Amino acid sequence: MNQMLQDPQVQNSQTSEIQTSPAETQAPPVPVDPPPGIEHPRFAKPQRVAFVQACWHRDVVEEARIAFVREAEARHLTHVDVFEVPGSFEIPLHAQILAKTRRYTAIVAAGLVVDGGIYRHEFVADTVIKALMDVQLRTEVPVFSAVLTPQQFHETEVHYDFFRRHFAIKGVEVAAACAETLLGLERLRGQVAAGIV
């Protein structure tokens, strides 16, 4: 067996050189910053948005408004005026009058059109969406729709819960679409004014 015999004093001095104190083995704590939030681009000019909400099934539709306002603020759309109308059918005229004031750079519509069993609700939904498109093309004020027409909607708590969550998602989506469109239009109008486009 090959073993080296060392002087105990030498062995102890080598061991003490290798050993380190517990404070040296632990790295100093690194401060942990919370993950940075998404930094959305800012607008060159203040933007004002009109949110037109149908009161039919208000408890469901208002989830879109709540989510929209929260997401809009995160995207630097801090001026949101809310208007209520009885139902989705009344939204387009309200949107047109608001667009003609030129106070708003965008209009958002939210409503729920359901099958009441008496009439074809698809006709109402189709009419509303076409009218909103006409408003934006006539006035050049962008109009965004969170007017939804589910295939099936029953007056049960399960459906109410599902559509409340769905409208909250739509509120976030329409806020993102609104902010991105307004940024794009701001850029485009600047290019047109400068003769680039």
Side-chain angles (χ1 to χ4, degrees):
M1 202 154 122
N2 276 338
Q3 282 187 332
M4 289 182 26
L5 297 174
Q6 290 184 334
D7 181 18
Q9 287 180 343
V10 172
Q11 188 176 9
N12 283 344
S13 70
Q14 288 175 346
T15 306
S16 65
E17 287 173 12
I18 296 172
Q19 291 177 349
T20 57
S21 69
E24 292 173 352
T25 58
Q26 295 175 356
V30 177
V32 178
D33 292 330
I38 298 172
E39 185 58 38
H40 296 289
R42 293 188 176 272
F43 296 93
K45 295 179 180 177
Q47 306 292 313
R48 185 175 214 99
V49 178
F51 192 97
V52 184
Q53 174 184 332
C55 291
W56 186 254
H57 293 293
R58 178 184 294 171
D59 59 327
V60 174
V61 178
E62 73 181 356
E63 294 298 328
R65 177 186 45 80
I66 293 165
F68 174 86
V69 169
R70 188 179 309 120
E71 183 67 17
E73 286 177 359
R75 292 175 176 272
H76 312 292
L77 292 171
T78 55
H79 301 289
V80 179
D81 295 337
V82 177
F83 300 88
E84 290 189 333
V85 294
S88 295
F89 196 75
E90 291 78 27
I91 292 173
L93 179 58
H94 220 80
Q96 180 170 285
I97 291 169
L98 291 169
K100 285 182 175 181
T101 68
R102 294 292 174 203
R103 289 188 65 212
Y104 298 98
T105 52
I107 297 168
V108 179
L112 177 62
V113 181
V114 298
D115 184 358
I118 298 171
Y119 59 88
R120 295 296 301 259
H121 65 293
E122 297 94 341
F123 294 151
V124 173
D126 190 44
T127 300
V128 170
I129 298 304
K130 284 182 179 175
L132 291 175
M133 179 59 74
D134 288 345
V135 168
Q136 90 172 338
L137 293 176
R138 272 197 311 274
T139 64
E140 295 186 5
V141 174
V143 179
F144 301 89
S145 176
V147 177
L148 305 181
T149 310
Q151 287 183 336
Q152 293 183 6
F153 179 83
H154 302 292
E155 304 274 343
T156 64
E157 200 53 42
V158 172
H159 271 216
Y160 275 108
D161 287 343
F162 174 82
F163 284 104
R164 281 186 197 106
R165 288 191 305 272
H166 190 64
F167 265 83
I169 292 167
K170 289 299 170 191
V172 171
E173 291 175 352
V174 78
C178 181
E180 289 166 17
T181 300
L182 289 175
L183 283 164
L185 288 173
E186 191 175 68
R187 204 168 22 254
L188 178 63
R189 288 176 177 140
Q191 292 172 339
V192 168
I196 299 170
V197 176

mmCIF file of all heavy atoms in Angstrom, residues 6-32:
data_model
loop_
_atom_site.group_PDB
_atom_site.id
_atom_site.type_symbol
_atom_site.label_atom_id
_atom_site.label_comp_id
_atom_site.label_asym_id
_atom_site.label_seq_id
_atom_site.Cartn_x
_atom_site.Cartn_y
_atom_site.Cartn_z
ATOM 1 N N GLN A 6 2.927 12.116 6.245
ATOM 2 C CA GLN A 6 3.273 13.528 6.349
ATOM 3 C C GLN A 6 3.339 13.906 7.817
ATOM 4 O O GLN A 6 2.702 13.304 8.668
ATOM 5 C CB GLN A 6 2.218 14.406 5.675
ATOM 6 C CG GLN A 6 2.211 14.281 4.190
ATOM 7 C CD GLN A 6 1.205 15.257 3.593
ATOM 8 O OE1 GLN A 6 0.259 15.626 4.258
ATOM 9 N NE2 GLN A 6 1.438 15.639 2.359
ATOM 10 N N ASP A 7 4.065 14.942 7.991
ATOM 11 C CA ASP A 7 4.162 15.509 9.319
ATOM 12 C C ASP A 7 2.791 16.081 9.673
ATOM 13 O O ASP A 7 2.185 16.799 8.884
ATOM 14 C CB ASP A 7 5.231 16.610 9.294
ATOM 15 C CG ASP A 7 5.416 17.255 10.650
ATOM 16 O OD1 ASP A 7 5.007 16.660 11.652
ATOM 17 O OD2 ASP A 7 5.953 18.378 10.672
ATOM 18 N N PRO A 8 2.217 15.804 10.851
ATOM 19 C CA PRO A 8 0.896 16.292 11.210
ATOM 20 C C PRO A 8 0.785 17.802 11.145
ATOM 21 O O PRO A 8 -0.252 18.328 10.784
ATOM 22 C CB PRO A 8 0.682 15.798 12.635
ATOM 23 C CG PRO A 8 1.689 14.732 12.877
ATOM 24 C CD PRO A 8 2.775 14.918 11.890
ATOM 25 N N GLN A 9 1.853 18.535 11.455
ATOM 26 C CA GLN A 9 1.779 19.992 11.386
ATOM 27 C C GLN A 9 1.644 20.473 9.945
ATOM 28 O O GLN A 9 0.904 21.387 9.650
ATOM 29 C CB GLN A 9 3.021 20.617 12.031
ATOM 30 C CG GLN A 9 3.014 20.505 13.531
ATOM 31 C CD GLN A 9 4.252 21.137 14.136
ATOM 32 O OE1 GLN A 9 5.255 21.377 13.448
ATOM 33 N NE2 GLN A 9 4.185 21.417 15.434
ATOM 34 N N VAL A 10 2.380 19.818 9.043
ATOM 35 C CA VAL A 10 2.299 20.183 7.625
ATOM 36 C C VAL A 10 0.907 19.859 7.106
ATOM 37 O O VAL A 10 0.298 20.629 6.372
ATOM 38 C CB VAL A 10 3.402 19.452 6.808
ATOM 39 C CG1 VAL A 10 3.207 19.664 5.323
ATOM 40 C CG2 VAL A 10 4.755 19.873 7.264
ATOM 41 N N GLN A 11 0.411 18.675 7.477
ATOM 42 C CA GLN A 11 -0.916 18.273 7.006
ATOM 43 C C GLN A 11 -1.984 19.244 7.511
ATOM 44 O O GLN A 11 -2.866 19.639 6.768
ATOM 45 C CB GLN A 11 -1.210 16.851 7.485
ATOM 46 C CG GLN A 11 -2.484 16.287 6.889
ATOM 47 C CD GLN A 11 -2.700 14.846 7.317
ATOM 48 O OE1 GLN A 11 -2.003 14.312 8.184
ATOM 49 N NE2 GLN A 11 -3.684 14.225 6.701
ATOM 50 N N ASN A 12 -1.890 19.671 8.776
ATOM 51 C CA ASN A 12 -2.861 20.605 9.325
ATOM 52 C C ASN A 12 -2.775 21.960 8.640
ATOM 53 O O ASN A 12 -3.791 22.597 8.386
ATOM 54 C CB ASN A 12 -2.655 20.782 10.837
ATOM 55 C CG ASN A 12 -3.210 19.601 11.608
ATOM 56 O OD1 ASN A 12 -3.982 18.816 11.079
ATOM 57 N ND2 ASN A 12 -2.810 19.488 12.870
ATOM 58 N N SER A 13 -1.579 22.440 8.307
ATOM 59 C CA SER A 13 -1.456 23.732 7.645
ATOM 60 C C SER A 13 -2.015 23.678 6.237
ATOM 61 O O SER A 13 -2.610 24.623 5.750
ATOM 62 C CB SER A 13 -0.001 24.219 7.651
ATOM 63 O OG SER A 13 0.775 23.410 6.795
ATOM 64 N N GLN A 14 -1.818 22.529 5.547
ATOM 65 C CA GLN A 14 -2.385 22.397 4.195
ATOM 66 C C GLN A 14 -3.912 22.339 4.252
ATOM 67 O O GLN A 14 -4.592 22.922 3.437
ATOM 68 C CB GLN A 14 -1.846 21.134 3.506
ATOM 69 C CG GLN A 14 -0.401 21.261 3.106
ATOM 70 C CD GLN A 14 0.136 19.950 2.527
ATOM 71 O OE1 GLN A 14 -0.471 18.903 2.646
ATOM 72 N NE2 GLN A 14 1.306 20.046 1.914
ATOM 73 N N THR A 15 -4.418 21.644 5.231
ATOM 74 C CA THR A 15 -5.858 21.519 5.368
ATOM 75 C C THR A 15 -6.481 22.865 5.683
ATOM 76 O O THR A 15 -7.509 23.221 5.136
ATOM 77 C CB THR A 15 -6.205 20.516 6.491
ATOM 78 O OG1 THR A 15 -5.538 19.302 6.225
ATOM 79 C CG2 THR A 15 -7.697 20.278 6.564
ATOM 80 N N SER A 16 -5.795 23.631 6.546
ATOM 81 C CA SER A 16 -6.376 24.922 6.872
ATOM 82 C C SER A 16 -6.313 25.873 5.696
ATOM 83 O O SER A 16 -7.135 26.761 5.574
ATOM 84 C CB SER A 16 -5.676 25.530 8.096
ATOM 85 O OG SER A 16 -4.331 25.807 7.768
ATOM 86 N N GLU A 17 -5.352 25.692 4.798
ATOM 87 C CA GLU A 17 -5.306 26.531 3.599
ATOM 88 C C GLU A 17 -6.468 26.193 2.655
ATOM 89 O O GLU A 17 -6.996 27.057 1.983
ATOM 90 C CB GLU A 17 -3.976 26.329 2.863
ATOM 91 C CG GLU A 17 -2.809 26.970 3.576
ATOM 92 C CD GLU A 17 -1.483 26.629 2.926
ATOM 93 O OE1 GLU A 17 -1.493 26.092 1.802
ATOM 94 O OE2 GLU A 17 -0.454 26.890 3.545
ATOM 95 N N ILE A 18 -6.830 24.944 2.609
ATOM 96 C CA ILE A 18 -7.886 24.498 1.700
ATOM 97 C C ILE A 18 -9.256 24.836 2.272
ATOM 98 O O ILE A 18 -10.160 25.213 1.558
ATOM 99 C CB ILE A 18 -7.771 22.981 1.437
ATOM 100 C CG1 ILE A 18 -6.458 22.710 0.712
ATOM 101 C CG2 ILE A 18 -8.951 22.476 0.640
ATOM 102 C CD1 ILE A 18 -6.144 21.247 0.583
ATOM 103 N N GLN A 19 -9.392 24.706 3.579
ATOM 104 C CA GLN A 19 -10.680 24.972 4.189
ATOM 105 C C GLN A 19 -10.973 26.471 4.147
ATOM 106 O O GLN A 19 -10.081 27.286 4.292
ATOM 107 C CB GLN A 19 -10.698 24.497 5.635
ATOM 108 C CG GLN A 19 -10.653 22.987 5.760
ATOM 109 C CD GLN A 19 -10.587 22.577 7.232
ATOM 110 O OE1 GLN A 19 -10.367 23.405 8.110
ATOM 111 N NE2 GLN A 19 -10.792 21.295 7.476
ATOM 112 N N THR A 20 -12.205 26.747 3.961
ATOM 113 C CA THR A 20 -12.620 28.156 3.954
ATOM 114 C C THR A 20 -13.717 28.326 4.979
ATOM 115 O O THR A 20 -14.394 27.376 5.364
ATOM 116 C CB THR A 20 -13.128 28.577 2.567
ATOM 117 O OG1 THR A 20 -14.186 27.721 2.205
ATOM 118 C CG2 THR A 20 -12.027 28.557 1.540
ATOM 119 N N SER A 21 -13.890 29.550 5.353
ATOM 120 C CA SER A 21 -14.947 29.829 6.326
ATOM 121 C C SER A 21 -16.303 29.747 5.635
ATOM 122 O O SER A 21 -16.403 29.940 4.424
ATOM 123 C CB SER A 21 -14.736 31.213 6.931
ATOM 124 O OG SER A 21 -14.981 32.189 5.951
ATOM 125 N N PRO A 22 -17.386 29.485 6.387
ATOM 126 C CA PRO A 22 -18.718 29.393 5.792
ATOM 127 C C PRO A 22 -19.127 30.672 5.077
ATOM 128 O O PRO A 22 -19.829 30.638 4.085
ATOM 129 C CB PRO A 22 -19.638 29.119 6.984
ATOM 130 C CG PRO A 22 -18.753 28.596 8.060
ATOM 131 C CD PRO A 22 -17.392 29.134 7.798
ATOM 132 N N ALA A 23 -18.669 31.816 5.558
ATOM 133 C CA ALA A 23 -19.037 33.081 4.917
ATOM 134 C C ALA A 23 -18.448 33.182 3.521
ATOM 135 O O ALA A 23 -19.018 33.801 2.638
ATOM 136 C CB ALA A 23 -18.570 34.252 5.772
ATOM 137 N N GLU A 24 -17.244 32.564 3.332
ATOM 138 C CA GLU A 24 -16.611 32.628 2.012
ATOM 139 C C GLU A 24 -17.275 31.698 1.003
ATOM 140 O O GLU A 24 -17.242 31.943 -0.186
ATOM 141 C CB GLU A 24 -15.125 32.281 2.130
ATOM 142 C CG GLU A 24 -14.313 33.313 2.885
ATOM 143 C CD GLU A 24 -12.886 32.853 3.124
ATOM 144 O OE1 GLU A 24 -12.557 31.694 2.856
ATOM 145 O OE2 GLU A 24 -12.101 33.680 3.581
ATOM 146 N N THR A 25 -17.876 30.628 1.451
ATOM 147 C CA THR A 25 -18.470 29.662 0.518
ATOM 148 C C THR A 25 -19.836 30.120 0.013
ATOM 149 O O THR A 25 -20.263 29.698 -1.028
ATOM 150 C CB THR A 25 -18.624 28.278 1.186
ATOM 151 O OG1 THR A 25 -19.432 28.428 2.342
ATOM 152 C CG2 THR A 25 -17.283 27.696 1.503
ATOM 153 N N GLN A 26 -20.516 30.952 0.759
ATOM 154 C CA GLN A 26 -21.831 31.415 0.324
ATOM 155 C C GLN A 26 -21.699 32.726 -0.435
ATOM 156 O O GLN A 26 -21.053 33.650 0.032
ATOM 157 C CB GLN A 26 -22.739 31.625 1.535
ATOM 158 C CG GLN A 26 -23.037 30.353 2.277
ATOM 159 C CD GLN A 26 -23.851 30.646 3.532
ATOM 160 O OE1 GLN A 26 -24.115 31.789 3.854
ATOM 161 N NE2 GLN A 26 -24.233 29.589 4.227
ATOM 162 N N ALA A 27 -22.289 32.750 -1.618
ATOM 163 C CA ALA A 27 -22.264 33.983 -2.409
ATOM 164 C C ALA A 27 -23.134 35.022 -1.730
ATOM 165 O O ALA A 27 -24.139 34.687 -1.097
ATOM 166 C CB ALA A 27 -22.778 33.710 -3.818
ATOM 167 N N PRO A 28 -22.752 36.279 -1.848
ATOM 168 C CA PRO A 28 -23.587 37.316 -1.233
ATOM 169 C C PRO A 28 -24.963 37.331 -1.901
ATOM 170 O O PRO A 28 -25.087 37.038 -3.089
ATOM 171 C CB PRO A 28 -22.822 38.611 -1.514
ATOM 172 C CG PRO A 28 -21.908 38.294 -2.639
ATOM 173 C CD PRO A 28 -21.627 36.825 -2.566
ATOM 174 N N PRO A 29 -26.005 37.630 -1.142
ATOM 175 C CA PRO A 29 -27.349 37.622 -1.746
ATOM 176 C C PRO A 29 -27.461 38.683 -2.836
ATOM 177 O O PRO A 29 -26.989 39.796 -2.687
ATOM 178 C CB PRO A 29 -28.274 37.939 -0.571
ATOM 179 C CG PRO A 29 -27.407 38.566 0.461
ATOM 180 C CD PRO A 29 -26.015 38.047 0.234
ATOM 181 N N VAL A 30 -28.040 38.256 -3.935
ATOM 182 C CA VAL A 30 -28.251 39.165 -5.064
ATOM 183 C C VAL A 30 -29.680 39.681 -4.975
ATOM 184 O O VAL A 30 -30.622 38.899 -4.875
ATOM 185 C CB VAL A 30 -28.035 38.422 -6.408
ATOM 186 C CG1 VAL A 30 -28.316 39.334 -7.581
ATOM 187 C CG2 VAL A 30 -26.640 37.853 -6.469
ATOM 188 N N PRO A 31 -29.847 41.004 -4.991
ATOM 189 C CA PRO A 31 -31.227 41.506 -4.929
ATOM 190 C C PRO A 31 -31.999 41.075 -6.163
ATOM 191 O O PRO A 31 -31.491 41.131 -7.289
ATOM 192 C CB PRO A 31 -31.056 43.026 -4.883
ATOM 193 C CG PRO A 31 -29.670 43.292 -5.335
ATOM 194 C CD PRO A 31 -28.865 42.043 -5.098
ATOM 195 N N VAL A 32 -33.201 40.616 -5.944
ATOM 196 C CA VAL A 32 -34.035 40.137 -7.044
ATOM 197 C C VAL A 32 -35.091 41.187 -7.349
ATOM 198 O O VAL A 32 -35.921 41.509 -6.511
ATOM 199 C CB VAL A 32 -34.707 38.794 -6.679
ATOM 200 C CG1 VAL A 32 -35.603 38.325 -7.813
ATOM 201 C CG2 VAL A 32 -33.666 37.752 -6.346
#
